[in-house]
């Protein structure tokens, strides 16, 4: 429902549906022309989930904004965010992916962290309980890529 673009200067542009604040401009007004995500600099990676957005800063920290429903923002609550907010937990993150209502982060050392909607077990830790805060998956230290969709997560591990 929305798009993100990472600029060479480390800033992010967003456009499209903005019902839950996933454009990060402090409003819920949808945009046909890209607007800059506020309070966000030094970004090295981005991802768009269905109704939320995720960014990794050069220092390895993660920011999320948009729909917090089912814990997709990793904020410990289900509240929406109209502006980027810090995600506590994972550090040295190099890549993020956004699923339907869940988020995946990979660290420089290959650890996999995720949070959010888990009805189909897409968070990979067993069970189907939604996670409002990030959890590190045990036994994974060789993740190199990941993807998330509607009720699933895929992971590429180094050989």
């Amino acid at each position: 429902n929305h798009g993100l673009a990472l600029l060479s200067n480390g800033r992010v542009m967003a456009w499209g549906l903005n019902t839950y604040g996933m454009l990060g401009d402090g409003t819920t007004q949808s945009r046909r022309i890209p607007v800059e995500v506020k309070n966000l600099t030094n970004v090295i990676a981005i991802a768009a989930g269905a109704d939320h957005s995720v960014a990794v800063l050069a220092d390895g920290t993660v920011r999320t904004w948009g729909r917090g429903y089912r814990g997709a923002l990793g904020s410990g609550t289900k509240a929406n965010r109209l502006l980027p907010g810090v995600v506590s937990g994972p550090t040295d993150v190099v890549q993020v992916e956004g699923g339907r209502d869940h988020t995946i982060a990979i660290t420089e050392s290959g650890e996999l962290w995720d949070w959010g909607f888990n009805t189909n077990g897409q968070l990979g830790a067993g069970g189907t309980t939604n996670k409002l805060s990030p959890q590190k998956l045990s036994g994974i230290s060789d993740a190199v890529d990941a993807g998330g969709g509607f009720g699933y997560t895929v992971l590429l591990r180094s050989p």
Side-chain angles (χ1 to χ4, degrees):
N1 295 323
H2 70 293
L4 300 173
L6 177 56
L7 305 181
S8 61
N9 65 3
R11 296 194 179 273
V12 176
M13 302 297 285
W15 62 94
L17 190 66
N18 196 26
T19 307
Y20 306 104
M22 55 274 222
L23 301 187
D25 66 349
T27 76
T28 56
Q29 179 181 347
S30 296
R31 309 286 182 164
R32 293 179 185 218
I33 298 172
V35 294
E36 187 172 344
V37 177
K38 292 185 176 181
N39 306 329
L40 197 61
T41 58
N42 300 317
V43 177
I44 61 167
I46 56 173
D51 295 322
H52 72 290
S53 301
V54 190
V56 179
L57 303 188
D59 65 2
T61 60
V62 177
R63 303 292 187 273
T64 57
W65 61 98
R67 189 176 190 192
Y69 180 62
R70 298 176 172 157
L73 302 183
S75 64
T77 75
K78 296 179 183 179
N80 297 341
R81 287 182 177 159
L82 302 182
L83 296 168
V86 176
V87 175
S88 297
T91 58
D92 298 325
V93 173
V94 294
Q95 180 186 343
V96 287
E97 294 295 332
R100 169 69 179 109
D101 287 316
H102 69 291
T103 305
I104 306 141
I106 297 176
T107 67
E108 188 173 2
S109 64
E111 295 175 336
L112 182 76
W113 290 72
D114 56 15
W115 57 90
F117 193 43
N118 194 37
T119 295
N120 297 316
Q122 59 265 44
L123 298 184
T128 57
T129 302
N130 297 344
K131 302 295 182 188
L132 301 181
S133 297
Q135 63 176 0
K136 181 173 79 169
L137 268 66
S138 63
I140 297 179
S141 60
D142 58 354
V144 294
D145 200 0
F150 190 82
Y152 68 89
T153 297
V154 294
L155 175 64
L156 178 63
R157 299 172 80 172
S158 65

